[in-house]
Amino acid sequence: MCGIAGIYHPETAKPVDPARLRAMLEPMGHRGPDGSGVWTAPGVGLGHLRLSIIDIEGSPQPMASADEAVTLSYNGEIYNFRELRAELEDRGHRFRTSGDTEVIIAAWRQWGPECLSRFNGMFAFALHDAARGCLFLARDRLGVKPLHMARLSDGSLAFASELKGLLRHPLLRCEARLSAVEDYLAFGYVPDDSSIVAGVEKLAAGHYLLIERGKPVPAPTRWWAPDFSRRIKASEGEAAEHLIHLMRAAVTDRMVADVPLGAFLSGGVDSSSVVALMAEASPKAVKTCTIGFDEAALDETAYAQAIAERFATDHRTRTVAAGDFGLIDRIADMFDEPFADASALPTWRVCELARETVTVALSGDGADEAFAGYRRMVFHHQEERLRRMIPAPLRRGLLGPLAKVWPQMDWAPRPLRARATLASLAKSGAEGYAEAVGVTGPAQRARLFNDAARRALGDHVAEGRYWKAMAEAPAREPLDAAQYADLMIWLPGDILTKTDRTSMAASLEAREPLLDYRLIEFAAALPAAMRVRGGTGKALMKRAMERYLPRDILYRPKMGFVTPVSHWFRGALTDQARALATSATLSRTGWFDMAEIDRIVAAHQSGRRDHGRLIWQFFMLEKSLAKLFGI
């Protein structure tokens, strides 16, 4: 796992200053504490930071081919590199190292851009081919590894793993993008198709960019997307057997490392499944770690301990205070862009704990997206059945107005919040689901912005990307479309960003076996009844894991990493919440109705409404704006 940076002049071969590349690498040093390198040639420069995992001594980067025609700077792991290496050797390629970096170079020379479809892994890389006169940037299928890019005034393209590296380039004008703030308020993160800094782009998951010198820079090309339009032809028992086969392969592929390896263990279905399959494949006790909380309602350590005992893991637990808000400034620095998923705090803590004994940790990320594990997906599946039964004019004309007068019950579970259900049913399925995924709805956001900001935003609506993704999804039914949109938007923007930044801040490599593309493609082809059953998701996965895990793990209610932000803003962070209404940073943007922010904080602290997540969003936004733009 590593960090990369680079500069490319697509029009003329201007020289690249190595000192500029070193400056871009410097703030990302946590991504590669084991080594760094810079390479330049006419019109191009690549930089690299290395966290050594495989072939520790033999694969320094940037790496050049034997004839020095191809040079690569690469962040990630190719899990099937040994199989690819054998195939490439049969085709006449020769290798000087034993790692996966050189395999990427040979695969490019053999297959060009088509090499990507042969890789099973997580990656973001930059490859310069002097013979072809091109730069090839690529990102893995699901966006596990990040890549930020910007076109600069001198005609160059600069890129880096993290925004903080890109911001070190002196020609990047650091100006805020208002539409990204709208997106952030809607979802709690800045999606991958946007950036808080105007002029910065993120190469989208499953895309590549091939730039040939002397030609205009093209739009990125999509090389992979999940396909929900197919259906497997198998019984549930056969499907469960095949799923176990795929999960076992995904886990064992990710256990290849020349450094200590372990796993995160929460005691939930996903991480417990990964640990069970690791224990099956490992001759030694698997190293596992769990973060517990000092509030019983948030603590899952008893479940994690039960799994650790069941599989005889080398288990470590650390309890942290639920009021562990001292990390807030550190979290803001990790993410650069505003990021309001408060579970980043305990995620960072578990990465920190893991790094004390291992360099690589397997996580359970991805199963909820692949197998419809989120409650919002289950509700959407159920609501779509009702939408088909009730004519649209009746839904809009009756249920919409009824939702407006129904009592607000923020405290209740979603099935009991009739107002939310009625409001969702009054909309189309895509509109309802987009708002269910979000944090702050369109009406609330409109009240938060002032008149000038609303005019500047024009017709930009954050949820529009969900409407578009669901409309274009290769899908057979509404559940397919919802999962497709989450895989394309929510997964890379929130879940994988959180895991990448927190793990890399600890110089830890996190691997996600449940995001193996073979698993994702298989799950997308499952009938809905094998995903959602009895009001819960992940039906087939739970059945398949019954041979490994007890029922109280498989079928208990989902908890997840919870952080009590609502409590904080009525307790230890009361004053900080109140200060938002007079924040010089928020006021100087010229975007917000500061009186509305004051009303929100007052309503929350009085107990009339629960605005904890929205206040947390503004809290993190304020810190990000001040850090990035000096506002």
Side-chain angles (χ1 to χ4, degrees):
M1 196 63 63
C2 307
I4 68 172
I7 299 169
Y8 185 68
H9 291 276
E11 297 175 6
T12 57
K14 298 179 183 179
V16 173
D17 184 356
R20 186 161 288 178
L21 290 169
R22 285 190 285 270
M24 294 170 68
L25 292 174
E26 189 274 331
M28 303 188 297
H30 50 277
R31 298 189 74 93
D34 297 331
S36 64
V38 166
W39 168 86
T40 62
V44 62
L46 301 177
H48 188 264
L49 295 161
R50 189 176 188 209
L51 177 62
S52 300
I53 304 295
I54 293 173
D55 192 21
I56 294 174
E57 302 297 333
S59 296
Q61 294 188 49
M63 179 181 285
S65 58
D67 62 2
E68 299 187 348
V70 177
T71 306
L72 173 71
S73 185
Y74 153 55
N75 170 25
E77 302 286 350
I78 305 299
Y79 302 119
N80 63 333
F81 77 94
R82 289 193 175 100
E83 296 89 338
L84 285 172
R85 177 185 175 122
E87 181 180 354
L88 288 162
E89 284 177 331
D90 287 343
R91 292 173 178 264
H93 294 268
R94 296 293 174 261
F95 294 89
R96 299 162 293 162
T97 66
S98 59
D100 56 351
T101 306
E102 196 176 10
V103 171
I104 295 176
I105 294 174
W108 161 263
R109 303 192 89 164
Q110 181 65 43
W111 297 299
E114 294 300 316
C115 68
L116 298 174
S117 64
R118 295 173 177 266
F119 297 153
N120 182 8
M122 54 179 184
F123 52 84
F125 65 75
L127 181 150
H128 180 257
D129 190 327
R132 298 192 189 190
C134 68
L135 179 75
F136 184 58
L137 303 177
R139 193 171 177 205
D140 63 65
R141 292 171 177 83
L142 291 154
V144 179
K145 294 291 100 186
L147 189 60
H148 297 73
M149 311 179 297
R151 294 295 304 274
L152 303 175
S153 59
D154 65 350
S156 66
L157 176 80
F159 51 90
S161 294
E162 296 184 19
L163 182 58
K164 58 173 58 72
L166 205 55
L167 291 172
R168 284 297 183 92
H169 198 295
L171 294 183
L172 180 62
R173 296 180 60 187
C174 199
E175 297 179 357
R177 178 182 274 140
L178 177 58
S179 62
V181 177
E182 152 83 354
D183 297 338
Y184 164 75
L185 290 176
F187 299 115
Y189 59 91
V190 179
D192 259 20
D193 60 3
S194 186
S195 169
I196 193 71
V197 178
V200 172
E201 304 172 66
K202 301 161 191 165
L203 184 62
H207 283 67
Y208 69 77
L209 180 61
L210 179 60
I211 310 171
E212 298 176 272
R213 178 155 288 128
K215 296 182 180 181
V217 177
T221 298
R222 176 182 286 183
W223 64 273
W224 183 88
D227 183 2
F228 286 81
S229 67
R230 301 176 297 107
R231 287 291 180 264
I232 64 167
K233 294 180 179 179
S235 68
E236 186 164 319
E238 292 169 335
E241 287 299 321
H242 188 58
L243 175 57
I244 285 293
H245 168 74
L246 291 173
M247 291 175 65
R248 186 178 289 124
V251 168
T252 54
D253 283 351
R254 285 157 182 78
M255 292 176 67
V256 176
D258 296 333
V259 294
L261 175 144
F264 303 134
L265 177 58
S266 70
V269 174
D270 307 338
S271 65
S272 297
S273 297
V274 170
V275 168
L277 294 170
M278 289 179 74
E280 180 183 70
S282 176
K284 300 178 180 179
V286 175
K287 293 179 181 293
T288 57
C289 62
T290 299
I291 286 293
F293 294 96
D294 61 359
E295 289 188 17
L298 307 178
D299 191 63
E300 292 186 282
T301 54
Y303 297 106
Q305 184 64 37
I307 294 299
E309 292 173 1
R310 185 182 185 92
F311 297 104
T313 72
D314 178 3
H315 189 59
R316 301 168 67 236
T317 300
R318 182 168 296 161
T319 299
V320 300
D324 192 16
F325 44 78
L327 285 175
I328 290 173
D329 288 328
R330 180 71 187 274
I331 293 293
D333 286 341
M334 288 179 197
F335 286 88
D336 298 322
E337 293 187 305
F339 190 80
D341 184 337
S343 66
L345 290 162
T347 302
W348 157 245
R349 284 299 198 199
V350 78
C351 290
E352 193 178 40
L353 176 61
R355 189 61 176 93
E356 292 176 3
T357 56
V358 303
T359 311
V360 177
L362 273 60
S363 84
D365 288 341
D368 288 315
E369 289 79 11
F371 296 97
Y374 292 118
R375 284 177 291 181
R376 64 174 180 257
M377 294 175 175
V378 177
F379 296 149
H380 178 69
H381 183 58
Q382 295 167 338
E383 288 173 358
E384 283 291 68
R385 293 176 177 176
L386 292 174
R387 284 189 181 91
R388 288 194 293 267
M389 295 167 58
I390 306 172
L394 182 60
R395 286 191 288 106
R396 287 193 297 267
L398 178 62
L399 300 185
L402 185 59
K404 293 179 181 178
V405 299
W406 202 272
Q408 183 80 30
M409 294 188 292
D410 292 333
W411 50 268
R414 171 68 185 270
L416 300 181
R417 283 186 278 140
R419 181 175 185 174
T421 301
L422 291 170
S424 180
L425 287 172
K427 302 178 176 71
S428 71
E431 290 170 330
Y433 189 72
E435 292 189 29
V437 174
V439 180
T440 306
Q444 177 68 79
R445 298 198 307 273
R447 291 191 294 271
L448 288 165
F449 287 117
N450 59 29
D451 291 341
R454 285 193 293 269
R455 286 194 297 271
L457 284 169
D459 60 0
H460 177 79
V461 179
E463 290 83 1
R465 57 177 49 82
Y466 258 88
W467 307 340
K468 184 174 186 290
M470 292 176 74
E472 295 176 350
R476 290 196 175 197
E477 54 187 286
L479 179 62
D480 297 339
Q483 287 186 250
Y484 175 88
D486 270 356
L487 284 166
M488 304 300 287
I489 301 168
W490 157 268
L491 180 70
D494 186 298
I495 301 301
L496 295 178
T497 294
K498 175 179 63 180
T499 301
D500 175 79
R501 302 304 190 278
T502 54
S503 62
M504 284 285 89
S507 299
L508 175 78
E509 175 171 300
R511 297 179 176 177
E512 295 85 2
L514 302 182
L515 285 175
D516 188 295
Y517 80 95
R518 298 166 298 184
L519 263 174
I520 298 297
E521 291 177 348
F522 173 73
L526 291 174
M530 290 190 190
R531 288 174 267 158
V532 173
R533 181 177 302 153
T536 61
K538 294 192 284 199
L540 185 70
M541 180 179 173
K542 291 175 182 178
R543 171 173 173 172
M545 291 305 298
E546 283 179 353
R547 72 189 72 176
Y548 291 97
L549 302 176
R551 293 186 67 83
D552 65 339
I553 294 293
L554 288 170
Y555 296 104
R556 71 183 178 90
K558 182 179 177 64
M559 286 181 67
F561 265 167
V562 180
T563 306
V565 294
S566 292
H567 174 72
W568 289 354
F569 292 126
R570 291 178 181 139
L573 296 182
T574 295
D575 292 341
Q576 288 89 330
R578 290 175 181 163
L580 288 172
T582 56
S583 164
T585 295
L586 296 178
S587 180
R588 279 197 290 263
T589 64
W591 299 330
F592 301 111
D593 182 338
M594 302 303 290
E596 178 65 14
I597 295 175
D598 188 37
R599 286 190 288 271
I600 285 167
V601 173
H604 179 78
Q605 294 187 334
S606 72
R608 296 193 308 273
R609 296 289 303 276
D610 185 352
H611 287 306
R613 291 180 69 184
L614 179 54
I615 296 170
W616 179 256
Q617 282 185 280
F618 271 104
F619 200 55
M620 299 307 288
L621 177 63
E622 180 188 45
K623 291 184 177 298
S624 181
L625 292 174
K627 178 178 180 292
L628 288 173
F629 308 109
I631 297 176

